[in-house]
Amino acid sequence: MIPTLAWTPEGVRFIDQTKLPLEESYVLATTYEQVADVIVTMVVRGAPAIGVSAAYGIALGAQKTTAATVEAFAPEFETICARLAGTRPTAVNLFWAIDRMKRLFGKLRAAGATMAEVKEKILAEAHAMYDEDIAACKTMGAFGGALLPDKGGVLTHCNAGALATCGYGTALGVIRAAVEQGKQIEVFADETRPFLQGARLTAWELMEDGIPTTVICDNMAASLMHAGRIHAVVVGADRIAANGDTANKIGTYNVAILAKEHGIPFYVAAPWSTIDTATRTGDEIPIEERSPVEVTHHGGKQLTPNGVGICNPAFDVTPAKYITGIITERGVLRAPYAESLKEMELVS
Ligand code: MRU
């Protein structure tokens, strides 16, 4: 299994996703501030992985505190949560995980727990989120794998794989499950400029699993669709609004429009923790703007003329009307999403 992140007695260990695929190295975060830095610098990335990393960051903060009582720790707990919440704005899994920890801490405090109990319970909650994430990916795989063709090309954008989760992946979990079901899938991985999550990470992890993979530049998808080489698209998500509008890596929206034009199904795979019914439509989703250097430079080499204007939004929003289905661990949602989301929330 790909070791995206792991709790160790010394701290949280991350595979360094900024170095893959050329170097497989690890970063050990021994403080919650270091976990926050690891999220900001994209050593760890991908919505579910960010959420669980933040949970472990809070656990680390609790383990390392010198506060002797829960009351003395309470303001520090708030500082830890605020620091981790300030790392990246778009993936709602981050805020979902922090809110879950806040609720737990509130309950323990109200029940008069000791500091030793708080440390133990917070760590146990982070471990539970880790295990639940892998289980959700496996269940999404079972639901989504059945939707893919028995034989054909599947396009994915960015990396929604084991590296973006605690293991197995959301979109890549669906592909992995289809392959495990005996389907003959060839994956087309969009390179995903500017951070190249597709070319570097999706290609690396699928090759580790021996799944046939072809990297294409982001501007090649239309031509391949026209040539009949792509039969389905599966992507992940960073936040799904109450009406089904979906934020994911910049460029996802382009792919969705192309898929619709070519009559190709376009699926989003995401755990329930990515659904944010408090956000009514995609227009309300905060979109992270990242450093212009990611666009102006590659591998330390400048690509663009000095002083040129640069735009670098990390995500875009695909309107719900382009989405054939949203694959979750509770089942596959179909349009109209406002209704199917409500129904599935009630049955589960
Ligand atoms: O900026 P990143 O690499 O964190 O963006 C990741 C994505 O957009 C993924 O597709 C999304 O988080 C889903 S990961 C299962």
Side-chain angles (χ1 to χ4, degrees), residues 42 45-48 88 158-160 164-165 170 197 236-238 248-249 315:
M42 311 253 287
R45 29 71 46 204
R88 297 192 71 191
C158 193
N159 172 268
T165 60
T170 57
Q197 289 94 331
D238 287 84
N248 191 48
K249 180 52 56 195
F315 303 95

Side-chain angles (χ1 to χ4, degrees), residues 36 60 67 88 121 139 149-150 154 171 176 182 192 201 219 225 251 259 271 274 279 304 308 333 335:
L60 206 48
R88 297 192 71 191
K121 293 269 173 11
T139 312
D150 289 342
V154 176
R176 283 194 166 94
T192 319
L201 308 176
N219 49 8
M225 286 181 181
T274 306
T279 296
T304 54
V308 73
L333 299 160

Side-chain angles (χ1 to χ4, degrees), residues 99-310:
D99 285 349
R100 186 163 154 176
M101 284 303 197
K102 281 185 177 174
R103 282 196 302 277
L104 174 68
F105 182 70
K107 264 193 214 153
L108 292 169
R109 190 178 175 190
T114 63
M115 203 48 223
E117 283 165 346
V118 164
K119 288 182 183 186
E120 185 202 318
K121 293 269 173 11
I122 284 182
L123 180 57
E125 191 78 354
H127 285 324
M129 289 188 214
Y130 181 98
D131 292 342
E132 285 166 24
D133 183 59
I134 296 175
C137 287
K138 290 274 168 84
T139 312
M140 274 181 264
F143 284 129
L147 300 172
L148 297 189
D150 289 342
K151 187 175 181 335
V154 176
L155 177 73
T156 190
H157 190 75
C158 193
N159 172 268
L163 288 166
T165 60
C166 298
Y168 205 69
T170 57
L172 297 193
V174 166
I175 289 169
R176 283 194 166 94
V179 171
E180 285 161 19
Q181 288 162 14
K183 297 187 173 185
Q184 283 175 266
I185 304 287
E186 178 185 9
V187 180
F188 290 94
D190 269 347
E191 65 173 353
T192 319
R193 277 279 290 155
F195 211 73
L196 302 176
Q197 289 94 331
R200 297 187 302 106
L201 308 176
T202 295
W204 179 76
E205 70 165 85
L206 290 179
M207 286 185 79
E208 289 280 300
D209 274 10
I211 296 175
T213 304
T214 301
V215 171
I216 61 170
C217 299
D218 296 331
N219 49 8
M220 296 174 184
S223 158
L224 265 80
M225 286 181 181
H226 180 73
R229 296 181 66 186
I230 293 169
H231 304 92
V233 178
V234 194
V235 297
D238 287 84
R239 192 185 295 230
I240 300 173
N243 69 345
D245 290 352
T246 295
N248 191 48
K249 180 52 56 195
I250 190 79
T252 303
Y253 182 17
N254 307 33
V255 177
I257 295 171
L258 295 178
K260 183 142 188 150
E261 175 65 21
H262 291 86
I264 296 167
F266 177 94
Y267 296 108
V268 170
W272 206 259
S273 52
T274 306
I275 293 168
D276 177 19
T277 49
T279 296
R280 284 168 303 172
T281 74
D283 290 340
E284 292 175 13
I285 299 175
I287 301 293
E288 176 184 9
E289 182 76 26
R290 291 189 62 86
S291 164
V293 176
E294 290 179 357
V295 177
T296 57
H297 287 67
H298 182 67
K301 203 167 171 258
Q302 188 171 332
L303 305 171
T304 54
N306 287 332
V308 73
I310 298 292

